[in-house]
Amino acid sequence: AYEPLKGHSGDVLCVAFSPDDRFIASGSSDRSFRLWNVQTGENVKTFENHPVDVWSVAFSPVGQMIASASLDGTARVLDVLSGNTIAEFEGKSVSFSADGERIISGCMDNTVRIWNAHTGEAIGSPLEGHRGRVCSVACSPDGRFIASGSDDGTMRIWDAQTGAPVREPIEYGDAVYSVA
């Protein structure tokens, strides 16, 4: 039987698998995120670079970079091996594009934004439509669509190239904290 992965001093708020299934990243209310070896359960690396709870973590498609976002609306991309910051941008939630060149972030100003994963520069205009903070974002495996969930109780689907809504929002009536 596997033992629980122990190390965070606060609640675990998010988890993500590396693309090669060797590592798990976990973000916590202790303001850190950790990398864990899936087979051994060892805490391989701890990143303590957010001033508040880490709400979202995501690996790039090839696993060289990891993005994290916190409840204060700040997000970062780090090199997994060195731990060095590659880019910083706005975001409460993060997801890499299918090709790993862009990062999609859900923001505190009710928008979805797209960023260059290597520079943190904004790409295009913010995607607008939510009436509350965007709590979760995901990019489709083929890179054509973006899904976003908000505390306004809706999930929206966007065309990743044009930023246009694909359909009417899906109403849930309560906050949508996770999309995949």
Side-chain angles (χ1 to χ4, degrees):
Y2 290 100
E3 294 295 317
L5 304 177
K6 294 182 180 179
H8 284 295
S9 61
D11 296 333
V12 174
L13 303 173
C14 56
V15 295
F17 268 100
S18 65
D20 63 6
D21 295 331
R22 292 179 50 215
F23 301 99
I24 293 174
S26 60
S28 171
S29 64
D30 67 8
R31 303 182 313 271
S32 75
F33 69 95
R34 294 173 181 254
L35 292 183
W36 306 88
N37 180 302
V38 170
Q39 294 299 316
T40 67
E42 175 190 4
N43 180 192
V44 177
K45 198 173 276 193
T46 300
F47 300 92
E48 296 175 326
N49 61 351
H50 284 287
V52 296
D53 303 5
V54 177
W55 183 260
S56 180
V57 290
F59 282 95
S60 65
V62 293
Q64 296 168 311
M65 298 182 288
I66 189 165
S68 61
S70 67
L71 288 179
D72 67 350
T74 61
R76 293 176 177 83
V77 178
L78 303 175
D79 178 279
V80 173
L81 293 177
S82 70
N84 292 335
T85 300
I86 296 169
E88 295 185 23
F89 49 94
E90 291 177 56
K92 178 184 177 186
S93 55
V94 288
S95 178
F96 277 90
S97 63
D99 64 5
E101 295 300 311
R102 295 170 290 142
I103 294 183
I104 296 90
S105 72
C107 296
M108 304 291 277
D109 67 358
N110 308 344
T111 65
V112 174
R113 296 174 185 255
I114 301 172
W115 311 91
N116 179 304
H118 304 283
T119 66
E121 292 181 25
I123 299 172
S125 300
L127 310 184
E128 298 179 338
H130 283 294
R131 296 175 314 279
R133 296 171 299 181
V134 179
C135 302
S136 182
V137 290
C139 189
S140 65
D142 64 5
R144 292 179 51 211
F145 303 105
I146 295 168
S148 59
S150 170
D151 61 11
D152 68 4
T154 67
M155 180 180 79
R156 292 177 178 262
I157 311 286
W158 313 85
D159 181 298
Q161 295 304 313
T162 67
V166 172
R167 53 163 292 149
E168 291 298 313
I170 300 167
E171 300 278 344
Y172 287 93
D174 208 351
V176 179
Y177 290 125
S178 184
V179 294

